[in-house]
Amino acid sequence: MAVPWCEPCDRFWNPASVTEAGDCPTCGTPVETPPDTAPPPRQKVPWHFWLAITAAGIYLTWRAIQGIASLF
């Protein structure tokens, strides 16, 4: 959602704050809404993150097996 911007006041306005004509309540100039921009593309998770997660899972599984085995 675009937020109205007043150049002379150098301020963003809430759409409910501008006048019904779409003017700045402070200086009275028409406010402009910036064009909607697409969100940046999502980045992939690096392979070494998944390697660390896998290693941690293997380590914790082994420690759980050791903990259970020590009970008997």
Side-chain angles (χ1 to χ4, degrees):
M1 181 175 149
V3 179
W5 173 259
C6 179
E7 282 293 328
C9 296
D10 197 31
R11 182 173 176 180
F12 285 109
W13 287 100
N14 185 339
S17 299
V18 297
T19 63
E20 290 185 20
D23 298 334
C24 174
T26 304
C27 65
T29 58
V31 293
E32 299 176 7
T33 55
D36 288 334
T37 57
R42 293 182 61 165
Q43 294 181 347
K44 290 182 65 175
V45 178
W47 64 270
H48 52 276
F49 172 78
W50 294 116
L51 179 65
I53 294 297
T54 303
I58 292 170
Y59 172 74
L60 291 174
T61 301
W62 177 248
R63 294 299 291 181
I65 291 170
Q66 283 182 333
I68 293 171
S70 69
L71 294 176
F72 297 109

